[in-house]
Amino acid sequence: MVAAFYFCLNFRIQLETSSDGRQHDLCIVHAGRRPSVIARGGFSGLFPESSDFANQMALATSLSDVAVLCNLQLTKDGVGICQGDIRLDNTTNIAMLFEKGSKTRKVNGQDITGWFAMDFTADQLLANVSLVQNIFSRPSAFDAMLPISTVDDVRSSNPPAFWLNVQYDAFYTENKQSVTNYIQKATRLQGVNYISSPEIGFLKKIKGLVSKAKTKLVFVFLDKNATEPTTKQTYGSILGNLATIKAFASGIVVPKDYIWPVNAANYLEAPTSLVNDAHKLGLEVYASGFANDFTTSYNYSYDPSAEYLQFIDNSQFSVDGLITDFPPTASEAVGKSVHSHAFSLCSFSANIMLCSVHRYQTYKRYMFFLYSTYIPQEQPINNACLYAEQALIISHNGASGIYAGSTDLAYQQAVEDGANIIDCSVQMSKDGVAFCLDSVDVTRDTTAAASFMSLSTTIPEIQESAGIFSFDLSWSDIQTLQPQLTSPFENNGGLPRNPANKSKGKFLTLAEFLELAKVKAVTGILINIENAAYLASQKGLDIVSAVDTAFGNATFGKQSTQKVLIQSDDTSVLSKFKNVPAYTRVLYLKDEISDAPRTPVEEIKKYADAVTLPRFSIVPTVNGFTTGTTKVVNEMQAANISVYVSVLRNEFITLPFDYFSDPTIEIATYTSGIGVDGIITEYPATASRYLRNPCSSNSMSDSSYSIIPAEAGSLLQTIPEETQPPASSPTPALDVADVVDPPLPAVTKPASPPPSSPPPATSPHSNALQNIANVGLSLVAIMAFPLLSLMCN
């Protein structure tokens, strides 16, 4: 029985002794103050800004001291409402209800046309107008469901801290409305922890009217070229004289690129001295502009946690707060950080079981929001404590989100990023050299199209589209090709991957890959073998023997220190390795399934020790929402078959809304929530950051944070049934015919010249519900849906 983690003390602790006789150090606590998480409009990355759903979800999924930020607007009768845009038609359906309500007003010297809160009474707005999302990558399913929130509404949700941002005091003053009077009343009756504004005149005016002990005043920097209304200076020039701000504010809010500039190529430059300069003057610094579904610097590899950590966990400085549309991810990052603040640093050895009362309590708060408020009570809440056995991190063509897949640099990066298992999908050259490349079609990941387009052909047994195939090129031909770092979302989602690394690295032979794995002393390797029957019968190439020979030369079959996983979608290939007990055989079930009945599972047991499944065989989705969890993992594991899920990627466009545009939540869902035995990922660093640091604590509920696995299907049920997306067509269950393949044909050298008679038919391939190419396209379409569907609405 492995050890279980129940609490952290103020010093390093040791867990109970596990069955292997070892004790496991787990927790270190640092003294200091951690950065604040400020939820802009609540959880506005998921629900419409400042809606009741957004505010409640922010409180349920964030650090216990999260601050909720309201962007103040005033109605015609002086009621404060929370809306980020002064034009209500950008965030509500007001234009449909009050068609003639549009006006042109001068705002900070510019003519702005739209629907303004000050032209409508509170009753008109609250009784008629509903909120909508105005960012295409976010769900539109909650549009027109929720009313505008007043400041009182937000305060009544009892946030631990309340932040009121006053963006347009001069505008309201010019139109004979007093934000100052409203603020005085609000702070007296309700209490406001922070008041911020980009207008110096307002902050100076309000300074003597609020309690310094209870309310912090914060100056907001806008774009460096924008003009501050009071001084008529640009914000860039004000930045050069921070000392003057101390006279009327205790802190500053700055766009994140004030701190970490990003160049025209979308890479980080060296940080500015702003944070340290402000701290020397006694000013707190809050960074703004964080959102998981915005394109950020390539340095972050589409991992939002990496961006947050750049601001709070570096050797030079830490900001005092993060203003974000996605407070759970910011909370997650603060929980991981270990520099200068009161954070818990949690780590564990392989196979340690984790359980913490705080994790369960956090999970319960989240589920209370979903179930108690919006889901019928008869649906059960999982009261089981959340255990998380450490899953294997398996690379997909190395760290192929960072470097071109299957190159030496991709593999080296995967090892550095914490992958337990590095993988090689074996392809064969015309002259029999086995090498690593994701696909037998070399056009996708190389520059082959520029040099060998005359060799393009269509082979229906392999794929529907035309391609240039590795077995039609010699190894010397392949060595002339440059690798290409590609993104499945570059064309449809506008999310390219690290252009600076586009053509870096070199392709490896299988022998070179095995040598790299030995030198790097990785936990293990995964060798993927496909198209064996076609290669044998049509091209005279024995891929199985090539792998076996490479293993023999590298002595992998005679050692037990490194795991060897042999993966194939063909049971006949796996049968060839049956007599090597050191190998773990993995059946690749490429096509989506909804169930794994006992009979086909028993067939799998004859050939494999594990299966690799696509994500949607475990957590199906519809229109960007998860619909639930299948029983496939439980059914496989009940038969002692390990389950690996494939392929995980960081890009938010591939993530269902339930994961909050955060790849870490997806990883947590599959590992901590569902309990898969391994994840196959193109970004091992993201998986490693979570699995090596699942910060959980019982006794530290005020200074630690637990990453909550998604409860698949629960978010969809918050949408009224009549407006839920239509159910998808039913996915078939696994069948014996989808498992068992005929024996491999003999290796037959093609005649030269080719015979006039048709070539021998290739043995039918089972893994399939077939149509692999179409399934791949379907997956990309589903992953792209959150963005594309909203663009069409």
Side-chain angles (χ1 to χ4, degrees), residues 322-341:
L322 303 162
I323 300 176
T324 175
D325 293 4
F326 290 83
T329 308
S331 297
E332 166 194 321
V334 170
K336 291 172 181 174
S337 181
V338 298
H339 285 268
S340 306
H341 300 280

Side-chain angles (χ1 to χ4, degrees), residues 10 83 137 191 195 233 240 279-280 291 293 306 354 406 521 527 542 566 575 599 612 680 720 723 762 778 780 792:
N10 289 327
Q83 277 293 289
S137 57
I195 297 175
Q233 298 180 62
H279 283 168
K280 289 175 184 176
D293 54 357
L354 300 176
S406 305
I527 304 298
D542 192 341
I566 304 293
S575 297
T599 301
T612 293
I680 299 175
T723 60
T762 302
S778 297
V780 172
C792 296

Side-chain angles (χ1 to χ4, degrees), residues 37-51:
V37 173
I38 300 98
R40 191 193 70 84
F43 196 161
S44 54
L46 185 62
F47 299 107
E49 180 181 341
S50 291
S51 64

Side-chain angles (χ1 to χ4, degrees), residues 545-578:
S545 292
V547 170
D548 193 44
T549 298
F551 277 174
N553 292 339
T555 67
F556 265 90
K558 299 178 181 179
Q559 57 85 47
S560 58
T561 56
Q562 290 180 291
K563 294 177 181 290
V564 176
L565 281 62
I566 304 293
Q567 176 177 279
S568 181
D569 56 356
D570 191 326
T571 53
S572 294
V573 170
L574 298 180
S575 297
K576 296 291 185 179
F577 297 93
K578 183 177 182 179

Side-chain angles (χ1 to χ4, degrees), residues 403-421:
Y403 288 99
S406 305
T407 59
D408 56 340
L409 296 180
Y411 290 127
Q412 291 169 20
Q413 189 69 49
V415 175
E416 292 172 10
D417 287 347
N420 306 114
I421 308 290

